[in-house]
Amino acid sequence: MTQATPTSLTRAGQPADAGTATKKVFVKTYGCQMNVYDSERMGDALSRDGYQPVDSVEAADLVLINTCHIREKAAEKVYSQLGRLAQLKKRRNSEGGDLMVAVAGCVAQAEGEEMIRRAPVVDVVIGPQTYHRLPGALAKARNGERVVETEFPTEDKFDRLPDASAGTIRTRGVTAFLTVQEGCDKFCTFCVVPYTRGAEVSRPVERIMSEAERLAAAGVREVTLLGQNVNAWHGQGSDGREWGLGELVHRLAAIEGIDRIRYTTSHPRDMDDALINAHRDLPELMPYLHLPVQSGSDRILKAMNRRHTAAEYIRLVERIRMARPDIALSGDFIVGFPGETDEDFEDTMRLIREVNYAAAFSFKYSIRPGTPGAGMDGQVDEAVKSERLTRLQALINEQTRDFGRQCVGKTADLLLEKPGRNTDQLVGRSPWLQPVIVDAKAGKIGDIVNMRIMQTGSNGLYAEPVETQSGNQGAISFDS
Ligand code: 5AD
Ligand code: SF4
């Protein structure tokens, strides 16, 4: 599963060498963390190609849009953006300049040649599996060719793209994403990912380990392992055995400097004992798990092809909580899947009450052309979907607030990530992924400080120094 986050803007890598960087690129990223990661890799490749990142379309020679297909009418929104870019290009041309436009991501993958036909402003259409070909595609485009790169190639894009590392490529602060797996073989009937991202592929152990080592050397202390089905990751280990994600996180935790590990997004069917036990045994593995269920109704789960029941999901949650009692769980929910009755929806509400989430993303079902759900009978009225979504979100918000309130009084190790809005504050991250605001005197960015959470606020939690340090520097201590 991809985790859809609100639209985010990502800047490509810092200039490798401002002296030689002459061309300017504006990168706009939509969708999941996987897209954020991919944009960074493309930004790195472009900075090697002499591109410097800029913050506005107006200042750019190249606009790269990394698109997401999870949202409704995704393609139409991209086309309307391209319409605006066509105006800008026309203006540029009339002034003797030029503008190049590249479209990447899942909408590019799904549209392919059609995108060039409908939006001649586009120079390059490039799918998620072919990003390593971007510099070559741009070179061809500069010679007036229109380039569409959307097949699923046999070579591994990660072998060709520069790794996230120190040196010529910008460092990314103290936290970083690391893609370990891509694609999906699950074919949930509502979802486009298996079509746009292709089959499940795991990156080999050595590649992941060396990227993590380079990240650690560049000052990264927390890595978030990414994959559409991250817990389906598997690979041949250095001991010759087949490893799963549980084994991999153990090896990553042993890297000097990597103090915190997270992973997203997981499918309930791929949550094996080794991974669950890693939550019990490995202090570096943060107590947060994004484990989408989508619905609490067995009938709807079946129609969605999720291949598990509500009871199986709840039993799984129990096993995970047995291993790591304080784990923060988050989920994804879809309301108004075809055929969903009031009773089905009440089953979802019941499951949410039973699980008690720390956070969740929730969506109204919307048709993705080409998926089995699109042709199903019993499409649900928009007003009914809206009403269900409002109720579901109210319940989740209540649970999120409760989760924050329960943290008050606890001490926790906070990774100080960035400056706060006020100059005398820093923002740290709790093990449970909450932003925590602390006094800047608490430490410097990159420090992990043990502090007491004092109160909840609209922007996150607030923490203060622990007056009487117990001497226990473990990942978390619940001393109240
Ligand atoms: N309609 C609504 N939500 C969807 N998602 C995926 N496809 C659809 C769709 N067609 C949601 C799922 C998934 C998340 C990333 O986006 O909840 O887990
Ligand atoms: Fe996740 Fe299902 Fe989509 Fe695969 S098909 S990415 S498991 S929602």
PDB file of all heavy atoms in Angstrom, residues 193-216:
ATOM      1  N   VAL A 193      -2.265   0.677  -7.747  1.00  0.00           N
ATOM      2  CA  VAL A 193      -0.817   0.489  -7.558  1.00  0.00           C
ATOM      3  C   VAL A 193      -0.248  -0.728  -8.304  1.00  0.00           C
ATOM      4  O   VAL A 193       0.801  -0.618  -8.937  1.00  0.00           O
ATOM      5  CB  VAL A 193      -0.467   0.467  -6.048  1.00  0.00           C
ATOM      6  CG1 VAL A 193       0.956  -0.026  -5.812  1.00  0.00           C
ATOM      7  CG2 VAL A 193      -0.638   1.863  -5.464  1.00  0.00           C
ATOM      8  N   PRO A 194      -0.910  -1.894  -8.270  1.00  0.00           N
ATOM      9  CA  PRO A 194      -0.317  -3.029  -8.992  1.00  0.00           C
ATOM     10  C   PRO A 194      -0.143  -2.753 -10.484  1.00  0.00           C
ATOM     11  O   PRO A 194       0.736  -3.338 -11.123  1.00  0.00           O
ATOM     12  CB  PRO A 194      -1.325  -4.163  -8.760  1.00  0.00           C
ATOM     13  CG  PRO A 194      -2.027  -3.778  -7.499  1.00  0.00           C
ATOM     14  CD  PRO A 194      -2.125  -2.279  -7.550  1.00  0.00           C
ATOM     15  N   TYR A 195      -0.972  -1.856 -11.015  1.00  0.00           N
ATOM     16  CA  TYR A 195      -0.876  -1.545 -12.446  1.00  0.00           C
ATOM     17  C   TYR A 195       0.179  -0.466 -12.713  1.00  0.00           C
ATOM     18  O   TYR A 195       0.860  -0.505 -13.730  1.00  0.00           O
ATOM     19  CB  TYR A 195      -2.242  -1.086 -12.993  1.00  0.00           C
ATOM     20  CG  TYR A 195      -3.352  -2.041 -12.603  1.00  0.00           C
ATOM     21  CD1 TYR A 195      -4.159  -1.794 -11.495  1.00  0.00           C
ATOM     22  CD2 TYR A 195      -3.564  -3.221 -13.321  1.00  0.00           C
ATOM     23  CE1 TYR A 195      -5.153  -2.678 -11.112  1.00  0.00           C
ATOM     24  CE2 TYR A 195      -4.560  -4.115 -12.941  1.00  0.00           C
ATOM     25  CZ  TYR A 195      -5.346  -3.840 -11.835  1.00  0.00           C
ATOM     26  OH  TYR A 195      -6.316  -4.717 -11.452  1.00  0.00           O
ATOM     27  N   THR A 196       0.283   0.522 -11.788  1.00  0.00           N
ATOM     28  CA  THR A 196       1.208   1.626 -12.063  1.00  0.00           C
ATOM     29  C   THR A 196       2.619   1.341 -11.555  1.00  0.00           C
ATOM     30  O   THR A 196       3.587   1.808 -12.136  1.00  0.00           O
ATOM     31  CB  THR A 196       0.709   2.941 -11.419  1.00  0.00           C
ATOM     32  OG1 THR A 196       0.504   2.729 -10.024  1.00  0.00           O
ATOM     33  CG2 THR A 196      -0.575   3.404 -12.062  1.00  0.00           C
ATOM     34  N   ARG A 197       2.743   0.592 -10.467  1.00  0.00           N
ATOM     35  CA  ARG A 197       4.076   0.338  -9.893  1.00  0.00           C
ATOM     36  C   ARG A 197       4.591  -1.058 -10.229  1.00  0.00           C
ATOM     37  O   ARG A 197       5.726  -1.391  -9.900  1.00  0.00           O
ATOM     38  CB  ARG A 197       4.044   0.508  -8.371  1.00  0.00           C
ATOM     39  CG  ARG A 197       3.906   1.948  -7.936  1.00  0.00           C
ATOM     40  CD  ARG A 197       5.264   2.624  -7.841  1.00  0.00           C
ATOM     41  NE  ARG A 197       5.122   4.041  -7.560  1.00  0.00           N
ATOM     42  CZ  ARG A 197       6.125   4.852  -7.233  1.00  0.00           C
ATOM     43  NH1 ARG A 197       7.353   4.386  -7.137  1.00  0.00           N
ATOM     44  NH2 ARG A 197       5.925   6.127  -7.032  1.00  0.00           N
ATOM     45  N   GLY A 198       3.726  -1.890 -10.780  1.00  0.00           N
ATOM     46  CA  GLY A 198       4.180  -3.212 -11.215  1.00  0.00           C
ATOM     47  C   GLY A 198       4.271  -4.224 -10.087  1.00  0.00           C
ATOM     48  O   GLY A 198       3.805  -3.985  -8.969  1.00  0.00           O
ATOM     49  N   ALA A 199       4.887  -5.355 -10.410  1.00  0.00           N
ATOM     50  CA  ALA A 199       4.956  -6.486  -9.477  1.00  0.00           C
ATOM     51  C   ALA A 199       5.886  -6.176  -8.302  1.00  0.00           C
ATOM     52  O   ALA A 199       6.729  -5.286  -8.378  1.00  0.00           O
ATOM     53  CB  ALA A 199       5.458  -7.717 -10.225  1.00  0.00           C
ATOM     54  N   GLU A 200       5.704  -6.946  -7.212  1.00  0.00           N
ATOM     55  CA  GLU A 200       6.554  -6.767  -6.025  1.00  0.00           C
ATOM     56  C   GLU A 200       8.005  -7.102  -6.350  1.00  0.00           C
ATOM     57  O   GLU A 200       8.295  -8.186  -6.864  1.00  0.00           O
ATOM     58  CB  GLU A 200       6.077  -7.685  -4.888  1.00  0.00           C
ATOM     59  CG  GLU A 200       4.821  -7.179  -4.222  1.00  0.00           C
ATOM     60  CD  GLU A 200       4.288  -8.106  -3.130  1.00  0.00           C
ATOM     61  OE1 GLU A 200       4.983  -9.071  -2.763  1.00  0.00           O
ATOM     62  OE2 GLU A 200       3.169  -7.844  -2.673  1.00  0.00           O
ATOM     63  N   VAL A 201       8.879  -6.170  -6.044  1.00  0.00           N
ATOM     64  CA  VAL A 201      10.320  -6.387  -6.238  1.00  0.00           C
ATOM     65  C   VAL A 201      11.029  -5.941  -4.959  1.00  0.00           C
ATOM     66  O   VAL A 201      10.737  -4.871  -4.435  1.00  0.00           O
ATOM     67  CB  VAL A 201      10.866  -5.541  -7.416  1.00  0.00           C
ATOM     68  CG1 VAL A 201      12.358  -5.741  -7.576  1.00  0.00           C
ATOM     69  CG2 VAL A 201      10.150  -5.893  -8.713  1.00  0.00           C
ATOM     70  N   SER A 202      11.947  -6.779  -4.467  1.00  0.00           N
ATOM     71  CA  SER A 202      12.725  -6.416  -3.284  1.00  0.00           C
ATOM     72  C   SER A 202      14.123  -6.010  -3.709  1.00  0.00           C
ATOM     73  O   SER A 202      14.731  -6.659  -4.566  1.00  0.00           O
ATOM     74  CB  SER A 202      12.842  -7.615  -2.333  1.00  0.00           C
ATOM     75  OG  SER A 202      11.578  -7.953  -1.819  1.00  0.00           O
ATOM     76  N   ARG A 203      14.635  -4.956  -3.095  1.00  0.00           N
ATOM     77  CA  ARG A 203      16.043  -4.592  -3.358  1.00  0.00           C
ATOM     78  C   ARG A 203      16.943  -5.560  -2.611  1.00  0.00           C
ATOM     79  O   ARG A 203      16.636  -5.957  -1.483  1.00  0.00           O
ATOM     80  CB  ARG A 203      16.332  -3.185  -2.867  1.00  0.00           C
ATOM     81  CG  ARG A 203      15.908  -2.112  -3.816  1.00  0.00           C
ATOM     82  CD  ARG A 203      16.239  -0.755  -3.234  1.00  0.00           C
ATOM     83  NE  ARG A 203      17.575  -0.311  -3.597  1.00  0.00           N
ATOM     84  CZ  ARG A 203      18.140   0.790  -3.113  1.00  0.00           C
ATOM     85  NH1 ARG A 203      17.500   1.522  -2.225  1.00  0.00           N
ATOM     86  NH2 ARG A 203      19.340   1.152  -3.512  1.00  0.00           N
ATOM     87  N   PRO A 204      18.097  -5.879  -3.195  1.00  0.00           N
ATOM     88  CA  PRO A 204      18.988  -6.824  -2.523  1.00  0.00           C
ATOM     89  C   PRO A 204      19.587  -6.253  -1.228  1.00  0.00           C
ATOM     90  O   PRO A 204      19.756  -5.040  -1.101  1.00  0.00           O
ATOM     91  CB  PRO A 204      20.104  -7.076  -3.546  1.00  0.00           C
ATOM     92  CG  PRO A 204      19.724  -6.373  -4.782  1.00  0.00           C
ATOM     93  CD  PRO A 204      18.588  -5.461  -4.510  1.00  0.00           C
ATOM     94  N   VAL A 205      19.911  -7.168  -0.308  1.00  0.00           N
ATOM     95  CA  VAL A 205      20.421  -6.797   1.013  1.00  0.00           C
ATOM     96  C   VAL A 205      21.614  -5.845   0.913  1.00  0.00           C
ATOM     97  O   VAL A 205      21.645  -4.811   1.593  1.00  0.00           O
ATOM     98  CB  VAL A 205      20.833  -8.073   1.797  1.00  0.00           C
ATOM     99  CG1 VAL A 205      21.551  -7.710   3.085  1.00  0.00           C
ATOM    100  CG2 VAL A 205      19.621  -8.931   2.094  1.00  0.00           C
ATOM    101  N   GLU A 206      22.608  -6.197   0.075  1.00  0.00           N
ATOM    102  CA  GLU A 206      23.845  -5.392   0.049  1.00  0.00           C
ATOM    103  C   GLU A 206      23.556  -3.944  -0.335  1.00  0.00           C
ATOM    104  O   GLU A 206      24.164  -3.014   0.189  1.00  0.00           O
ATOM    105  CB  GLU A 206      24.891  -5.928  -0.944  1.00  0.00           C
ATOM    106  CG  GLU A 206      25.044  -7.436  -1.012  1.00  0.00           C
ATOM    107  CD  GLU A 206      23.972  -8.052  -1.881  1.00  0.00           C
ATOM    108  OE1 GLU A 206      23.988  -7.810  -3.098  1.00  0.00           O
ATOM    109  OE2 GLU A 206      23.109  -8.780  -1.343  1.00  0.00           O
ATOM    110  N   ARG A 207      22.637  -3.777  -1.294  1.00  0.00           N
ATOM    111  CA  ARG A 207      22.317  -2.408  -1.738  1.00  0.00           C
ATOM    112  C   ARG A 207      21.698  -1.605  -0.599  1.00  0.00           C
ATOM    113  O   ARG A 207      21.993  -0.446  -0.411  1.00  0.00           O
ATOM    114  CB  ARG A 207      21.321  -2.452  -2.903  1.00  0.00           C
ATOM    115  CG  ARG A 207      21.745  -3.257  -4.087  1.00  0.00           C
ATOM    116  CD  ARG A 207      22.606  -2.496  -5.035  1.00  0.00           C
ATOM    117  NE  ARG A 207      22.022  -1.201  -5.390  1.00  0.00           N
ATOM    118  CZ  ARG A 207      22.701  -0.238  -5.999  1.00  0.00           C
ATOM    119  NH1 ARG A 207      23.955  -0.424  -6.304  1.00  0.00           N
ATOM    120  NH2 ARG A 207      22.119   0.905  -6.305  1.00  0.00           N
ATOM    121  N   ILE A 208      20.814  -2.270   0.125  1.00  0.00           N
ATOM    122  CA  ILE A 208      20.130  -1.578   1.225  1.00  0.00           C
ATOM    123  C   ILE A 208      21.127  -1.254   2.325  1.00  0.00           C
ATOM    124  O   ILE A 208      21.161  -0.133   2.849  1.00  0.00           O
ATOM    125  CB  ILE A 208      18.989  -2.467   1.773  1.00  0.00           C
ATOM    126  CG1 ILE A 208      17.937  -2.702   0.685  1.00  0.00           C
ATOM    127  CG2 ILE A 208      18.365  -1.849   3.018  1.00  0.00           C
ATOM    128  CD1 ILE A 208      16.933  -3.793   1.024  1.00  0.00           C
ATOM    129  N   MET A 209      21.966  -2.242   2.666  1.00  0.00           N
ATOM    130  CA  MET A 209      22.936  -2.037   3.739  1.00  0.00           C
ATOM    131  C   MET A 209      23.902  -0.918   3.370  1.00  0.00           C
ATOM    132  O   MET A 209      24.205  -0.055   4.200  1.00  0.00           O
ATOM    133  CB  MET A 209      23.720  -3.326   4.018  1.00  0.00           C
ATOM    134  CG  MET A 209      22.892  -4.453   4.616  1.00  0.00           C
ATOM    135  SD  MET A 209      22.195  -4.072   6.239  1.00  0.00           S
ATOM    136  CE  MET A 209      23.673  -4.149   7.237  1.00  0.00           C
ATOM    137  N   SER A 210      24.376  -0.920   2.133  1.00  0.00           N
ATOM    138  CA  SER A 210      25.375   0.104   1.810  1.00  0.00           C
ATOM    139  C   SER A 210      24.725   1.486   1.760  1.00  0.00           C
ATOM    140  O   SER A 210      25.319   2.470   2.173  1.00  0.00           O
ATOM    141  CB  SER A 210      26.149  -0.230   0.535  1.00  0.00           C
ATOM    142  OG  SER A 210      25.275  -0.223  -0.546  1.00  0.00           O
ATOM    143  N   GLU A 211      23.479   1.553   1.305  1.00  0.00           N
ATOM    144  CA  GLU A 211      22.820   2.867   1.325  1.00  0.00           C
ATOM    145  C   GLU A 211      22.620   3.339   2.769  1.00  0.00           C
ATOM    146  O   GLU A 211      22.837   4.504   3.088  1.00  0.00           O
ATOM    147  CB  GLU A 211      21.475   2.826   0.577  1.00  0.00           C
ATOM    148  CG  GLU A 211      20.865   4.213   0.450  1.00  0.00           C
ATOM    149  CD  GLU A 211      19.746   4.325  -0.587  1.00  0.00           C
ATOM    150  OE1 GLU A 211      19.650   3.462  -1.470  1.00  0.00           O
ATOM    151  OE2 GLU A 211      18.984   5.291  -0.493  1.00  0.00           O
ATOM    152  N   ALA A 212      22.235   2.411   3.643  1.00  0.00           N
ATOM    153  CA  ALA A 212      22.031   2.775   5.052  1.00  0.00           C
ATOM    154  C   ALA A 212      23.353   3.213   5.696  1.00  0.00           C
ATOM    155  O   ALA A 212      23.383   4.175   6.462  1.00  0.00           O
ATOM    156  CB  ALA A 212      21.437   1.591   5.814  1.00  0.00           C
ATOM    157  N   GLU A 213      24.434   2.532   5.350  1.00  0.00           N
ATOM    158  CA  GLU A 213      25.739   2.918   5.907  1.00  0.00           C
ATOM    159  C   GLU A 213      26.122   4.316   5.449  1.00  0.00           C
ATOM    160  O   GLU A 213      26.625   5.123   6.234  1.00  0.00           O
ATOM    161  CB  GLU A 213      26.815   1.904   5.486  1.00  0.00           C
ATOM    162  CG  GLU A 213      26.806   0.668   6.374  1.00  0.00           C
ATOM    163  CD  GLU A 213      27.482  -0.539   5.742  1.00  0.00           C
ATOM    164  OE1 GLU A 213      28.170  -0.382   4.708  1.00  0.00           O
ATOM    165  OE2 GLU A 213      27.302  -1.648   6.294  1.00  0.00           O
ATOM    166  N   ARG A 214      25.872   4.593   4.184  1.00  0.00           N
ATOM    167  CA  ARG A 214      26.205   5.936   3.693  1.00  0.00           C
ATOM    168  C   ARG A 214      25.324   6.998   4.348  1.00  0.00           C
ATOM    169  O   ARG A 214      25.772   8.085   4.669  1.00  0.00           O
ATOM    170  CB  ARG A 214      26.087   5.987   2.174  1.00  0.00           C
ATOM    171  CG  ARG A 214      27.335   5.447   1.481  1.00  0.00           C
ATOM    172  CD  ARG A 214      27.353   5.849   0.022  1.00  0.00           C
ATOM    173  NE  ARG A 214      26.275   5.207  -0.698  1.00  0.00           N
ATOM    174  CZ  ARG A 214      26.378   3.980  -1.234  1.00  0.00           C
ATOM    175  NH1 ARG A 214      27.488   3.296  -1.118  1.00  0.00           N
ATOM    176  NH2 ARG A 214      25.360   3.462  -1.869  1.00  0.00           N
ATOM    177  N   LEU A 215      24.062   6.658   4.557  1.00  0.00           N
ATOM    178  CA  LEU A 215      23.179   7.613   5.235  1.00  0.00           C
ATOM    179  C   LEU A 215      23.694   7.886   6.638  1.00  0.00           C
ATOM    180  O   LEU A 215      23.759   9.028   7.083  1.00  0.00           O
ATOM    181  CB  LEU A 215      21.744   7.067   5.295  1.00  0.00           C
ATOM    182  CG  LEU A 215      20.980   7.045   3.968  1.00  0.00           C
ATOM    183  CD1 LEU A 215      19.669   6.278   4.115  1.00  0.00           C
ATOM    184  CD2 LEU A 215      20.683   8.461   3.479  1.00  0.00           C
ATOM    185  N   ALA A 216      24.067   6.814   7.357  1.00  0.00           N
ATOM    186  CA  ALA A 216      24.568   6.972   8.722  1.00  0.00           C
ATOM    187  C   ALA A 216      25.826   7.844   8.722  1.00  0.00           C
ATOM    188  O   ALA A 216      25.976   8.739   9.558  1.00  0.00           O
ATOM    189  CB  ALA A 216      24.858   5.603   9.339  1.00  0.00           C
TER     190      ALA A 216
END
